[in-house]
Amino acid sequence: MAILKTEKIIKKFGGLVAVKNMDFEVNEKEIVGIIGANGAGKTTFFNCISGNLEPTSGRIIFDGHNITKYKPYQIAKLGLARTFQVVKPFANKTVLYNVTVGAFVKTQHKKDAIEKAEETINFLNIYEKKNVLAKNLTLPERKRLELARALATRPKLLLLDEVMAGLRPDEIKDMLKIIEKINNHGVTIVIIEHIMQVIMSVSKRIYAMNFGEKIACGTPEEVAKNKNVIKAYLGDEYVIS
Amino acid sequence: MGSAILNGILMGSIYGLTAVGLTLIFGVLKVINFAQGAFLMSGLFATYWFVKFTGTNPYLALVVVVPFTYFMGYYIQKFLIKPVFESEKDVREPIGVIIVTTGIWYMLDNLALMLFGAQYRTINVPSVSKAISIFGLYAPLSKIIGFFISITVSGLLFWFLKYSKMGKAIRATSQDREAASLMGINQYKIYNVTFGIGTAICGIAGAVLLPFYYVYPTVGMHLDIMDFVIVVLGGLGSIPGALVGGLIIGLIESVGSQFIAYSWTIEVIYIIFLIILFVKPSGLFGVKGEF
Amino acid sequence: MKFSEKQIKLILLMLSAIVVFLIPVFIKNQGYIQIFIVVMFFMYIATAWNFVGGFAGVLPLGNAAFIAIGAYTSTILFVQYGISPWVGMLAGGIISAIIGIIIGLPTFKLRGAYFALATIAFGEGIKVLFQNIDKIGSVNVGGARGILISYSGDSFANFQWVSRIPYYYIILVMLIILLAITVFLMNSKMGYYLIAGGEDPEAAASLGVNVAKYKLIAMALSAFFTAIAGTFYAQWILYILPKSVGSIDLSFEIAFIAIIGGRGTIIGPILGALLLKPLGELTRTYLGGALPGLHLFILGLILVLVMIYQPRGIQEVLTKIFNRFVKKMVTIKRS
Ligand SMILES: Nc1ncnc2c1ncn2[C@@H]1O[C@H](COP(=O)(O)OP(=O)(O)OP(=O)(O)O)[C@@H](O)[C@H]1O
Ligand SMILES: [Mg+2]
């Protein structure tokens, strides 16, 4: 069953069409990848789904709700969480504090929220950092914090925007494990990533975007062989016909 | 009524000039300089003492006042504002800089109070205080000179930003800090220069204003708030906007006072200001963006 | 006996509370008591400012307007209708909270500098309004001359005493209540959400925080408690005029105290007032004759220095020193 479905999403910035007619579907418990070159419109598409931008036209259905015109906080409350490509920690607060904010979505009590937050921090292996101020974290740690905070809202669907960019190979491996672990707990995941290999190893299905448009969609193997994708990624001369 | 309009335009142009300094600094640094009124006060006092000591013409004071205020702004930016600016580089709501400029305002105002006392001071320049007639309307010559100097200075600034090498660098920095520094522009140098120019404009405004105004340590306060209204009205960062905003506020002030008490005119200006902030924060000439 | 750090802190807190409560017993000089009242008054209004200026992460520069609204509401009700200032206090607080919300609705959409400017215009607008209005119908507002509250004998209901000591205890209790509320809020969902929205509104919203709602609540609370201080001021001085209760200088001073102390922290406004008010009073008393404005010059200087070297306020260093001190006490007790 589709937990998230978008129909003909268009987002224009003045004359620039950043997202063009995106039809997109994610089934429950799936991991779906989105790939695309710089400026392909991936982040903009996420922003439309999470309510940070209002699409110029189109419809977004999440878990049975038409969320097209919802505000970000309303969408988050419905169980759709996201991370930001450019991480946005609450810089002057500790890791635990950051994550507790996320955990408060499901409870009124500080004790519950902190308990949930600690659980999440533990789950992501950053427990020893829990009392460190977010501004003093390294980039990989910040990415993890970003993920922890989103996860603490106990989402049904998690949108991850380049959580592995800038990480070393061993850190990427760790992150992939974590993502699979999250998915095993029943969380549906949509993940944006530049690096094909990385995304192919975890995703059941992949969407490829170029200049705001969906140019391919299917299993990792199908997408990797797709002419349009090769053209977009490597240039015309690599297309073997 | 005609005289009120004329005086509103003349006074408004000088308001506009002080607002040009404020809007220039905002355009480049994205910082509202709360010390702007204190800079104007400094310009007024510098002119006052120049005239007192040399006994010459206030317009001649520009030779001294302009470099004085320029370097004052330059070094205040370099030593006091820059450190805060740098530490707030990636803060979303940088308000530390506003606070620093407010601190500078308090320091300057009260330094003047300690040095010169609280009394109002005026200069008497008979040659320019006589009223002359334009199309049958009367206004003091000093205001008319002020009008022309304001327009000229704004025009020169516009030309400078458009065609000079430094001006181009300033504009590049205001549009995109990162790109400009990649092009080899030293952004902090640009900020210092911009702050210096913005302050020097206040100095000029002070020299122009003094012949028909007065100076006391907190004289900048009233003009400060007027300046905020003007730049937001015209669109923060827009130089023509600051001039037009100045004219509008000058007109409201002088024409309004024909019908209602001056203190109510001020109230009207505040209300207009709030309405603009709520309805169209980009002002008349401002660029669209995040407010 | 062994104490943990937490216990030592609690003991120190209780000790200082006892000292503060006993001050009027030992210090009989009304002039000194008056200075204590001034300090606590500013601790109180800076703490109320902190809801918005500290936790919600914007810069309000018009809070004197709420003091004016509180002072005028209770004073008009008392002087002209004989309604007890305690009732007027509540009325002024509620009116202020409503105005706070009305003004907050459009202004919270504005970013940093624009918000600051809007609050300045609001603050000045309210002051000029009070200056301009002499009478509304039969209600005497007093215009620029203000309103004098005549003394009619010591009375709790009338909120009037010749002695300064009752005022000392009233502002002390008000301060303790406000601090307790602040501590409680900061440890609740509301506090977490408010701070998150102040740190990064976009990130907060993505975690389910209705940032605008929490900012408005903060604004209402801040306005309410600030207005209450306005009533206190009116009954303490027995004379209000727009220039004293509504001035931009007062608005700025409130903000400065909280910022220098450390905005967004509970202890910040307390430390700020504790440092700045006595310093200001002393320079004004001893050097004000020779150098008027010296205390304000120093205020500006401290502000600039703090922003450059301690942007999170003096609380950061002081808390560190305090914690080190407490740690030392623990080890001493152990050995
Ligand atoms: N707020 C905005 N205003 C104007 N243009 C924008 C805005 N956000 C994005 N764009 C433009 O929309 C296009 C798509 O950008 P987007 O950030 O969605 O790409 P992306 O696929 O996420 O790229 P990357 O891989 O670099 O993150 C780009 O051309 C970008 O410049
Ligand atoms: Mg992106």
Side-chain angles (χ1 to χ4, degrees):
Chain A
M1 208 198 92
I3 187 167
L4 176 72
K5 195 168 180 222
T6 75
E7 295 165 5
K8 301 230 166 337
I9 294 297
I10 297 176
K11 179 67 200 178
K12 294 183 189 164
F13 294 114
L16 174 83
V17 188
V19 176
K20 257 181 242 171
N21 287 324
M22 271 296 281
D23 286 325
F24 179 84
E25 216 177 292
V26 187
N27 295 319
E28 245 169 87
K29 313 244 156 76
E30 239 186 338
I31 300 184
V32 172
I34 301 180
I35 57 172
N38 274 321
K42 307 177 297 290
T43 299
T44 307
F45 182 54
F46 262 20
N47 283 336
C48 290
I49 298 173
S50 64
N52 293 73
L53 291 171
E54 197 184 316
T56 313
S57 68
R59 224 160 69 103
I60 304 167
I61 312 291
F62 169 68
D63 204 19
H65 304 267
N66 180 352
I67 59 165
T68 318
K69 292 231 149 76
Y70 279 28
K71 299 230 168 68
Y73 76 90
Q74 296 169 312
I75 293 172
K77 278 185 175 171
L78 286 178
L80 195 162
R82 69 165 296 175
T83 65
F84 291 92
Q85 181 174 355
V86 182
V87 289
K88 296 172 178 294
F90 306 129
N92 293 311
K93 292 286 159 187
T94 63
V95 167
L96 181 62
Y97 196 102
N98 269 266
V99 181
T100 307
V101 173
F104 261 121
V105 112
K106 294 261 161 71
T107 176
Q108 300 297 322
H109 306 290
K110 185 183 166 189
K111 229 176 126 196
D112 289 355
I114 288 194
E115 219 165 80
K116 275 219 187 82
E118 290 196 320
E119 224 173 83
T120 314
I121 293 173
N122 210 1
F123 185 78
L124 291 182
N125 305 329
I126 43 172
Y127 198 81
E128 70 279 13
K129 299 276 172 192
K130 88 172 183 179
N131 291 323
V132 177
L133 295 184
K135 65 176 167 196
N136 298 331
L137 294 178
T138 62
L139 181 73
E141 289 165 352
R142 282 180 199 212
K143 295 241 167 190
R144 241 172 236 220
L145 171 60
E146 188 86 2
L147 181 56
R149 224 169 39 177
L151 203 55
T153 65
R154 296 288 183 272
K156 296 184 187 122
L157 172 66
L158 192 53
L159 307 179
L160 304 178
D161 194 348
E162 303 206 11
V163 281
M164 284 174 275
L167 300 195
R168 290 196 316 262
D170 56 319
E171 291 165 344
I172 291 184
K173 243 185 215 149
D174 276 356
M175 192 57 113
L176 284 173
K177 264 190 217 135
I178 289 172
I179 290 171
E180 281 183 327
K181 211 159 95 180
I182 297 171
N183 183 241
N184 287 338
H185 278 71
V187 181
T188 315
I189 294 173
V190 181
I191 175 166
I192 290 179
E193 206 59 53
H194 266 294
I195 319 158
M196 278 247 233
Q197 287 82 341
V198 168
I199 208 169
M200 283 167 71
S201 65
V202 283
S203 312
K204 313 271 168 336
R205 289 191 304 121
I206 289 180
Y207 284 75
M209 290 181 76
N210 201 23
F211 294 115
E213 270 178 307
K214 176 169 81 184
I215 53 169
C217 129
T219 65
E221 294 73 34
E222 286 167 6
V223 171
K225 279 188 219 133
N226 185 292
K227 261 194 246 164
N228 293 333
V229 175
I230 296 171
K231 201 154 73 181
Y233 258 74
L234 303 170
D236 280 326
E237 59 270 34
Y238 287 91
V239 182
I240 309 154
S241 46
Chain B
M1 184 67 203
S3 292
I5 291 177
L6 179 64
N7 272 289
I9 290 173
L10 297 179
M11 194 62 202
S13 70
I14 296 165
Y15 280 161
L17 183 62
T18 59
V20 163
L22 188 61
T23 218
L24 173 71
I25 291 172
F26 182 85
V28 179
L29 284 88
K30 306 289 177 273
V31 166
I32 295 202
N33 173 27
F34 274 53
Q36 194 75 0
F39 289 164
L40 180 71
M41 179 273 300
S42 310
L44 281 160
F45 263 118
T47 313
Y48 175 83
W49 290 115
F50 180 87
V51 173
K52 266 275 142 45
F53 283 126
T54 62
T56 50
N57 187 297
Y59 304 107
L60 216 60
L62 285 173
V63 183
V64 178
V65 170
V66 170
F68 168 69
T69 42
Y70 175 83
F71 286 111
M72 187 168 99
Y74 187 100
Y75 287 108
I76 283 180
Q77 148 66 24
K78 184 165 176 181
F79 292 118
L80 301 181
I81 297 176
K82 184 187 148 192
V84 182
F85 197 90
E86 264 185 320
S87 72
E88 271 193 327
K89 246 193 325 234
D90 35 37
V91 177
R92 266 183 63 96
E93 304 278 347
I95 55 181
V97 186
I98 302 180
I99 298 167
V100 173
T101 59
T102 317
I104 293 165
W105 158 18
Y106 269 58
M107 285 171 72
L108 289 175
D109 273 17
N110 290 289
L111 195 62
L113 179 62
M114 286 187 278
L115 291 174
F116 311 132
Q119 70 267 39
Y120 285 46
R121 294 162 189 271
T122 54
I123 52 169
N124 184 16
V125 193
S127 57
V128 295
S129 52
K130 62 172 183 282
I132 61 166
S133 116
I134 307 172
F135 308 122
L137 302 171
Y138 286 90
L141 179 61
S142 54
K143 278 193 184 176
I144 294 166
I145 296 175
F147 175 82
F148 283 107
I149 291 183
S150 297
I151 300 296
T152 312
V153 169
S154 307
L156 281 175
L157 179 70
F158 204 77
W159 176 87
F160 166 78
L161 289 175
K162 197 139 198 167
Y163 297 107
S164 74
K165 197 167 165 229
M166 179 52 96
K168 282 179 186 162
I170 290 177
R171 279 194 302 141
T173 310
S174 85
Q175 272 149 22
D176 191 336
R177 286 173 195 173
E178 273 77 48
S181 56
L182 286 179
M183 281 155 56
I185 296 171
N186 177 352
Q187 60 165 308
Y188 287 110
K189 182 87 199 279
I190 296 290
Y191 292 162
N192 299 344
V193 171
T194 307
F195 226 89
I197 296 174
T199 311
I201 288 175
C202 278
I204 298 172
V208 161
L209 204 55
L210 191 62
F212 57 94
Y213 216 67
Y214 34 80
V215 53
Y216 60 97
T218 51
V219 65
M221 172 91 124
H222 168 71
L223 287 149
D224 224 346
I225 296 176
M226 279 304 177
D227 269 1
F228 296 152
V229 180
I230 291 166
V231 290
V232 172
L233 178 65
L236 257 171
S238 157
I239 290 172
L243 276 180
V244 174
L247 290 178
I248 294 175
I249 294 301
L251 278 172
I252 293 177
E253 199 181 58
S254 90
V255 176
S257 303
Q258 303 282 306
F259 301 103
I260 47 178
Y262 180 70
S263 53
W264 277 112
T265 314
I266 298 292
E267 187 72 15
V268 169
I269 291 174
Y270 289 142
I271 291 171
I272 293 176
F273 180 50
L274 283 172
I275 291 174
I276 290 170
L277 273 175
F278 299 158
V279 179
K280 197 170 183 297
S282 58
L284 298 174
F285 293 82
V287 275
K288 268 192 147 183
E290 284 184 82
F291 301 94
Chain C
M1 241 199 326
K2 274 185 201 164
F3 292 104
S4 71
E5 280 178 40
K6 223 176 188 162
Q7 283 167 323
I8 289 182
K9 280 182 186 168
L10 205 68
I11 291 168
L12 287 176
L13 185 70
M14 275 173 0
L15 279 179
S16 42
I18 292 170
V19 170
V20 172
F21 266 97
L22 291 181
I23 280 175
V25 178
F26 296 109
I27 298 179
K28 289 279 173 244
N29 183 325
Q30 296 274 319
Y32 289 144
I33 296 291
Q34 184 79 356
I35 292 182
F36 283 112
I37 298 174
V38 170
V39 172
M40 285 193 286
F41 179 77
F42 275 89
M43 285 178 175
Y44 175 94
I45 48 181
T47 301
W49 179 91
N50 208 23
F51 282 125
V52 179
F55 302 117
V58 288
L59 184 63
L61 291 175
N63 264 32
F66 298 125
I67 296 184
I69 292 167
Y72 271 91
T73 307
S74 65
T75 301
I76 289 171
L77 288 177
F78 179 54
V79 171
Q80 285 170 57
Y81 301 96
I83 296 169
S84 165
W86 294 102
V87 178
M89 192 181 229
L90 202 62
I94 292 168
I95 293 175
S96 245
I98 293 170
I99 292 178
I101 290 174
I102 293 174
I103 204 76
L105 273 172
T107 39
F108 278 132
K109 286 197 209 114
L110 303 169
R111 297 278 302 264
Y114 286 85
F115 178 86
L117 291 182
T119 51
I120 289 181
F122 164 68
E124 283 295 278
I126 294 283
K127 181 191 81 183
V128 175
L129 204 61
F130 279 121
Q131 271 173 347
N132 286 347
I133 297 175
D134 280 329
K135 267 185 165 54
I136 308 173
S138 63
V139 180
N140 181 17
V141 184
R145 282 165 289 109
I147 308 176
L148 199 68
I149 303 168
S150 54
Y151 173 74
S152 51
D154 285 6
S155 142
F156 184 81
N158 289 350
F159 205 135
Q160 286 187 343
W161 295 271
V162 170
S163 162
R164 301 287 91 184
I165 290 171
Y167 295 105
Y168 179 94
Y169 283 111
I170 289 172
I171 191 70
L172 177 59
V173 170
M174 280 168 62
L175 179 62
I176 290 173
I177 293 174
L178 186 61
L179 282 173
I181 292 174
T182 314
V183 171
F184 172 77
L185 275 181
M186 289 313 116
N187 283 295
S188 71
K189 183 170 178 171
M190 156 102 195
Y192 274 75
Y193 273 21
L194 191 58
I195 288 176
E199 287 266 344
D200 193 315
E202 219 175 351
S206 80
L207 299 172
V209 181
N210 183 348
V211 177
K213 177 177 124 187
Y214 286 94
K215 282 192 175 172
L216 280 181
I217 297 176
M219 185 75 164
L221 286 173
S222 181
F224 179 86
F225 288 113
T226 306
I228 282 181
T231 299
F232 174 85
Y233 178 92
Q235 296 302 124
W236 167 38
I237 308 294
L238 294 180
Y239 177 43
I240 56 170
L241 73 172
K243 253 209 261 177
S244 68
V245 291
S247 78
I248 190 170
D249 288 329
L250 180 57
S251 289
F252 275 75
E253 196 177 1
I254 298 171
F256 289 176
I257 285 173
I259 290 163
I260 290 172
R263 64 199 204 98
T265 64
I266 291 165
I267 195 75
I270 304 296
L271 293 175
L274 202 56
L275 168 77
L276 294 174
K277 285 321 286 189
L279 190 70
E281 295 290 316
L282 285 175
T283 34
R284 192 156 43 185
T285 322
Y286 293 107
L287 299 166
L291 288 170
L294 179 63
H295 67 288
L296 289 177
F297 176 82
I298 293 174
L299 181 64
L301 182 66
I302 293 178
L303 195 61
V304 172
L305 291 177
V306 164
M307 285 323 290
I308 294 176
Y309 297 108
Q310 289 290 322
R312 313 220 11 102
I314 55 171
Q315 55 83 25
E316 208 165 48
V317 200
L318 293 178
T319 323
K320 244 181 228 157
I321 295 173
F322 177 72
N323 282 337
R324 208 170 299 155
F325 171 73
V326 170
K327 260 206 191 100
K328 231 178 220 160
M329 301 249 307
V330 174
T331 48
I332 288 170
K333 283 265 155 56
R334 291 251 163 89
S335 54

